[in-house]
Amino acid sequence: MGKEYLIAGNWKMFKTVAESREFVQALAKEFTAFPGLEVAVFPPFTALAATHGLDPKIKIGAQNMFFEEKGAFTGEISPLMLRETADCVLIGHSERREIFAEHDEDVNKKLKAALQFNLPPVLCIGETLPEREAGKTLAKVRLQLEKALQGVAAADMEKITVAYEPIWAIGTGRNATPGQAQEVHHFIRQMLQEMAPGKKIKILYGGSVKPENSLELLVQEDISGVLVGGASLKVDQFSAIIQNALKLLRA
Ligand code: PGA
């Protein structure tokens, strides 16, 4: 069974509408479609409509959403609305959890709402530095996965992508070694197999991914792509990571 890769860029609170459009158009010129390669960027909400469908090779995702369909929830955006302008949605990014106090229960509700509205979710999980140092990485990841996926039907599991992002590696320049990442990815893969036997679920690595470390991460058996923050803001860096995935797909 050949490997498939998803190379995803989380832009966080960066880029105006004009900058987002310009980026997508420039990135589209940097690579050609290839079987097994999927590319997605996650611009801010304001730039979703302007980038969605700009180029068929580049999927557009949202960085967050609320779990209700509609109602008196000032400032929130629903899956029903996102479905018009996004192909997928990030759920439970560590910045949402840490800065905006999103709990596992919210993450679970959001994940189920995304599935209900046919918006494939990218579920983010990962441990803090003290948790890693205390040897609690796998326990934390297990707990987050179990809570996030509670009540999700096995038939829906294939629509989910999991992103393992150790919090100590996000925006710090300190990435997990390929061995550290593979160990956790393998553990997640086993858990997902138990929950949904036979389903093919992508597991991305995120946390200070750059062109220089992407190849050795992507080559790991249970790593099916990367979720890139900082390095996804520059066309040359993000496309260099895509080129590394293409190199492995063509090998
Ligand atoms: P980083 O961010 O690549 O800048 O570490 C990754 C993320 O937060 O998804």
Side-chain angles (χ1 to χ4, degrees):
M1 189 177 64
K3 229 176 159 180
E4 291 176 5
Y5 286 115
L6 168 57
I7 309 300
N10 173 15
W11 290 355
K12 311 192 178 186
M13 203 171 73
F14 292 99
K15 295 196 189 294
T16 61
V17 174
E19 287 165 350
S20 301
R21 279 183 66 90
E22 214 174 286
F23 184 105
V24 170
Q25 281 161 338
L27 182 67
K29 293 195 189 111
E30 294 293 318
F31 70 100
T32 46
F34 195 83
L37 174 73
E38 235 185 299
V39 173
V41 292
F42 293 76
F45 284 133
T46 46
L48 289 177
T51 49
H52 190 235
L54 254 191
D55 188 280
K57 300 195 299 283
I58 304 173
K59 292 210 168 123
I60 300 297
Q63 298 173 18
N64 179 35
M65 58 164 230
F66 194 49
F67 48 78
E68 294 287 353
E69 178 183 335
K70 55 184 151 182
F73 303 104
T74 303
E76 292 296 326
I77 294 186
S78 87
L80 182 74
M81 297 162 184
L82 277 187
R83 206 164 59 167
E84 296 180 319
T85 56
D87 303 302
C88 47
V89 60
L90 283 186
I91 302 286
H93 189 276
S94 63
E95 285 152 16
R96 298 294 322 164
R97 295 179 191 254
E98 293 202 320
I99 307 170
F100 301 99
E102 259 184 38
H103 299 293
D104 288 319
E105 295 70 37
D106 306 306
V107 171
N108 176 248
K109 284 184 190 164
K110 290 182 177 196
L111 189 92
K112 287 195 282 197
L115 288 169
Q116 191 191 333
F117 285 90
N118 277 321
L119 204 55
V122 178
L123 166 67
C124 303
I125 55 173
E127 83 285 3
T128 61
L129 187 58
E131 286 163 345
R132 171 155 288 265
E133 285 171 345
K136 292 182 179 152
T137 297
L138 300 184
K140 173 69 181 288
V141 162
R142 167 179 289 279
L143 196 71
Q144 282 187 322
L145 257 188
E146 280 173 352
K147 289 192 169 178
L149 298 175
Q150 203 171 10
V152 173
D156 276 340
M157 292 283 285
E158 225 160 14
K159 297 172 194 153
I160 300 171
T161 297
V162 175
Y164 167 59
E165 300 200 297
I167 295 171
W168 48 272
I170 295 179
T172 56
R174 181 179 167 189
N175 64 296
T177 64
Q180 284 174 324
Q182 166 58 23
E183 183 199 5
V184 182
H185 277 240
H186 185 67
F187 177 76
I188 295 170
R189 177 86 59 212
Q190 281 179 321
M191 265 192 83
L192 294 173
Q193 275 309 310
E194 278 165 32
M195 290 174 172
K199 299 279 185 210
K200 221 168 138 188
I201 301 169
K202 284 199 171 87
I203 310 171
L204 314 182
Y205 170 78
S208 296
V209 175
K210 304 179 273 285
E212 306 84 66
N213 60 25
S214 56
L215 193 65
E216 54 179 13
L217 287 162
L218 288 169
V219 86
Q220 300 300 314
E221 189 180 347
D222 292 299
I223 296 186
S224 21
V226 282
L227 181 55
V228 188
S232 76
L233 294 169
K234 299 234 165 71
V235 173
D236 58 343
Q237 292 189 16
F238 194 54
S239 70
I241 297 170
I242 296 171
Q243 293 307 329
N244 277 338
L246 278 170
K247 217 179 278 175
L248 294 172
L249 286 171
R250 289 195 178 111

